[in-house]
Amino acid sequence: MLAEIKGLNEECGVFAIWGHEKAAEMTYYGLHALQHRGQEGAGIVTSDGDNLHLHKGNGLINDVFQQDEFSRLKGTAALGHVRYATQGGGGYENVQPLVFRSQKGSMALAHNGNLVNAYMLKNQLEAQGSILQTTSDTEVLAHLIKRSGHMGMEDAIGSALGMIKGAYAFGLLTEDQLFVALDPRGLRPLSIGMLNGAYVISSETCAFDIIGATYIREVLPGELITIDDNGLTSRRFASPLQRTLCSMEYVYFSRPDSDINGLNVHASRKTMGKELAKEAPIEADVVTGVPDSSISAAIGFSEATGIPYELGLIKNRYVGRTFIQPSQELREQGVKMKLSAVRGIVEGKRVVMVDDSIVRGTTSRRIVRLLKEAGATEVHVRIASPPIENPCYYGIDTSTKGELIASNNSVEEIRELIGADSLAYLTAEGLENSIVKGKDSTEHGVCQACFTGNYPTEIYPDTVLPAYKG
Ligand code: SF4
């Protein structure tokens, strides 16, 4: 599905490299591979051993970086970030990496996730005299590090991480060290690779492939990694808890060519499609997937049922972005511009339309209508994840509960609203089977809170602050 029209948005992507002559350029390419995780802002900070050099801006990587910038981004270490900004949090000052100066030296921070106690910590910090300049919760961590009684950076970061709660995958670059940390439940993905002796860190492994780096391992929940000219060292800042990796990374967000926690995303989506076919079979003539993220699940559904997979919907890749258009009518027009139903494939056919999820339902209704206008006699919608009934507090903008169609309507009511001939969702059990079956659930468990309401961390009354998402 198309993120910008669906109302379901990833918050960020982080990439870093240590010990490479072309650190800024490698980071630029790495961020390109992570562009789907955020299109609102991008930045790269480098270290030449004495100073940090930053360039960032609003927009896509190609809007923010031209050739000139790279001559200024000196050094063999770099930290980069792509950002999706929620309403009210999209100003230039919130584009990461954020650079801070203190008695401990300079530090640049980039973050993927959301701290559930950021607002509480911000109030505490301000009461103690800190002045926060941005509305990003990343800055809260910076102030906690600055105020730590520890002089050494690693200890200061470790003690600051002990105070924050929620989902976070952090990169932190100083003049002479790179630090990387993942929250104790490992809600967000973060991997380590190597490129000709240089260490590489990325939110997704697809960024390793684009620069020719080799995957080494995952950053572990509760792990703080320090990389400098002496190599890589690791310590635990918290005991690892039952892993609850975001299942939506598999369902929708991550690129199909990425491996997360040892499982390829395309393969997991195919399994979701197969599980869905087992749970909700239907007689039909063709199966089609909503491009791009639902195609793998549609192939799985087709393989399991024997109904041929066809390209019944295609995406026009060269239309302008439409998510900033304010009205529903214009957003729906955006769907029409971006997706076309292929008449020659669907005309006179009973079509199974596989999609990864339904958020507000407006996009699904529009796509069902596109297929029927193109001559489909029946449209059976199959969703490769359970109904999204609850908001996410961990860095994914899922819309508020009131906007989520499944929190206010039964499956039958949703079917009617989107105009489908039948509608079925994958169960939470089916989703879990697709991702963790046969594996140690302590290490491979997933969060399904937006489906089930079982949040893996404490949620504070003032947690939902869109402007605080990083
Ligand atoms: S609530 Fe949903 S979107 Fe948020 S981390 Fe959990 S699975 Fe992912």
Side-chain angles (χ1 to χ4, degrees), residues 187-188 246-248 253 391-392 394 396 398 447-450 455:
L187 273 141
R188 303 255 76 89
C246 170
S247 58
M248 283 304 273
F253 292 121
C392 173
Y394 304 122
I396 306 299
T398 49
C447 173
Q448 292 207 43
C450 49
Y455 294 97

Side-chain angles (χ1 to χ4, degrees), residues 42-44 54-58 64-65 92-98:
I44 296 176
L54 172 69
H55 182 76
K56 65 177 187 174
N58 290 309
V64 176
F65 290 93
Y92 173 84
E93 70 280 6
N94 286 330
V95 177
Q96 300 185 25
L98 301 178

